[in-house]
Amino acid sequence: MEELELTILMPCLNESRTVARCVGLAREFLRENSVCGEVLVADNGSTDGSAELARAAGARVVSITERGYGNALIGGIKAARGKYVIMGDCDMSYDMLHLGGFLEKLREGYPLVMGCRLDNIQPGAMPFSHRYIGVPVLSFLGRVRLRTQVRDFHCGLRGFDRERALALGLSCGGMEFATEIIGKFALSGADIAEISVTLSPDGRGGRSHLRTIRDGLRHLRYIFFGCR
């Protein structure tokens, strides 16, 4: 099967309010920038019709049965057909129409390009405790422990070279995947680029998939002990 240049990968769990819009914006990005690519939705057991809506909007959908943010993304990376992968949540918190900065850095040879939300957080997009305690503290510990200068360890919008990511042996099934991929790229000696992105309030209108205490502890465990 012919390799595409880019896969825009979206993990999905009951995102029926927003997934079609995100897929549409991602496809518009590919079209407007003449990028040979695909939009891939890694559905993690949605029961609200998200998978069907994503297909109708033009995405390729793969079903990932093992639950968890990391499991959905690992499955999606394996299924991707692009040389590069840009991953982002399909809840309208990130701008899927303006991904050019990520692709430019990937084309320059950076194996990992991180988004950084810290300078552009719209009102209501991130709880006070996450913005001023959780994200800064966990990112600081990650920088020290994993020897990297990445400012925002938890930005959900990031791009990477697919083959190099697969070679890392990524295995964390939960939210700590976000830290694992940075750590493994950093410890492999890879140069990591970081670009500013805007975080908007998510459009789902329901309960977040993030569980602050549980997921924070999972990140801490990975930083100090690796994935278990």
Side-chain angles (χ1 to χ4, degrees), residues 48-160:
D48 66 347
S50 292
E52 292 76 12
L53 289 167
R55 286 192 189 93
R60 182 164 66 93
V61 178
V62 292
S63 178
I64 310 299
T65 56
E66 189 170 3
R67 295 293 284 268
Y69 177 75
N71 288 323
L73 285 167
I74 292 169
I77 294 167
K78 291 177 179 177
R81 297 171 182 164
K83 173 180 173 62
Y84 306 123
V85 174
I86 297 177
M87 53 171 267
D89 300 332
C90 54
D91 61 3
M92 294 299 293
S93 56
Y94 297 109
D95 183 357
M96 307 306 290
L97 184 58
H98 296 95
L99 302 175
F102 288 89
L103 186 56
E104 179 181 344
K105 291 295 184 183
L106 291 167
R107 287 171 170 170
E108 289 175 11
Y110 287 96
L112 176 63
V113 184
M114 286 296 305
C116 179
R117 309 161 294 177
L118 302 181
D119 300 322
N120 296 288
I121 301 174
Q122 293 188 355
M126 184 183 292
F128 180 93
S129 61
H130 293 190
R131 183 172 185 174
Y132 296 105
I133 302 173
V135 171
V137 170
L138 289 172
S139 295
F140 170 77
L141 292 173
R143 285 193 295 273
V144 172
R145 182 74 173 175
L146 301 173
R147 293 176 287 190
T148 178
Q149 297 303 309
V150 172
R151 292 178 63 205
D152 182 4
F153 264 61
H154 303 121
C155 181
L157 188 61
R158 53 185 78 185
F160 45 86

Side-chain angles (χ1 to χ4, degrees), residues 111-114 142-150 153 164 168 170 178-193 222:
L112 176 63
V113 184
M114 286 296 305
R143 285 193 295 273
V144 172
R145 182 74 173 175
L146 301 173
R147 293 176 287 190
T148 178
Q149 297 303 309
V150 172
F153 264 61
R164 293 190 66 171
L168 297 174
L170 300 166
T179 296
E180 179 192 26
I181 193 169
I182 298 171
K184 287 191 172 178
F185 267 116
L187 295 176
S188 75
D191 289 328
I192 301 174
Y222 179 79

